[in-house]
Amino acid sequence: MIGVIVACLVLAGIITYATRSKEAGGIASIKRGKMTWLKCRNPDCGHEYQMDLKDYFIYMKEHQDPMSMAAPEIVCPECGEESVYRAEKCEKCGLVFERGTVPNDFVDRCPECKYSKTEESRKKARARKGK
Ligand SMILES: [Zn+2]
Ligand SMILES: [Zn+2]
């Protein structure tokens, strides 16, 4: 009898686990360890910090407004305002800037020195194809 109960519990556990991981979708497959930059839009603050990309996506999913396509704001740990957005750190000049600062261009285009990692990697990919 106990064996049957245990088997049922295990089965229930597997079903719960399977549905849960299905719900999490892409987030579950993201590995920890990849960091993303975040920057505060408040001009008096301008706080810059890093967060695990996985935590960022989990936060986005939890706070996403289903009626809006806009990315939800993150509360700044420095000034407490909902003014933190995902940012990029320029590999060339070290500037941390909000993604998509340069309109109609790569999201990681640096407004300071105009370097874009996406553009660089595409150039490299193109060069490799050309050979
Ligand atoms: Zn702030
Ligand atoms: Zn730069």
Side-chain angles (χ1 to χ4, degrees):
M1 195 58 201
I2 288 168
V4 174
I5 294 167
V6 170
C8 283
L9 283 176
V10 169
L11 195 66
I14 291 168
I15 291 166
T16 320
Y17 181 78
T19 23
R20 213 184 277 158
S21 53
K22 212 180 193 180
E23 272 170 23
I27 293 172
S29 62
I30 299 169
K31 285 195 184 75
R32 285 199 178 272
K34 191 173 165 27
M35 304 299 277
T36 187
W37 279 92
L38 296 156
K39 192 179 169 97
C40 179
R41 255 187 204 171
N42 182 354
D44 297 328
C45 174
H47 184 53
E48 298 160 355
Y49 64 105
Q50 278 184 295
M51 189 187 210
D52 197 296
L53 199 58
K54 185 160 185 163
D55 290 330
Y56 171 82
F57 281 127
I58 291 168
Y59 183 95
M60 286 294 123
K61 200 177 159 67
E62 280 174 356
H63 294 82
Q64 180 73 61
D65 180 355
M67 302 302 285
S68 149
M69 284 302 287
E73 289 91 354
I74 299 172
V75 176
C76 175
E78 247 342 90
C79 66
E81 298 220 10
E82 287 185 341
S83 53
V84 171
Y85 291 84
R86 197 170 165 198
E88 290 284 337
K89 188 181 176 100
C90 177
E91 282 183 6
K92 292 278 170 205
C93 69
L95 180 82
V96 177
F97 56 96
E98 203 181 305
R99 281 163 71 92
T101 307
V102 182
N104 306 317
D105 210 330
F106 295 115
V107 291
D108 60 352
R109 172 81 71 196
C110 175
E112 196 64 35
C113 71
K114 313 292 181 222
Y115 175 79
S116 162
K117 200 181 169 185
T118 309
E119 187 188 50
E120 280 303 306
S121 59
R122 281 192 195 179
K123 265 188 204 164
K124 270 180 209 156
R126 231 177 285 145
R128 232 178 285 143
K129 257 183 217 166
K131 267 177 199 170

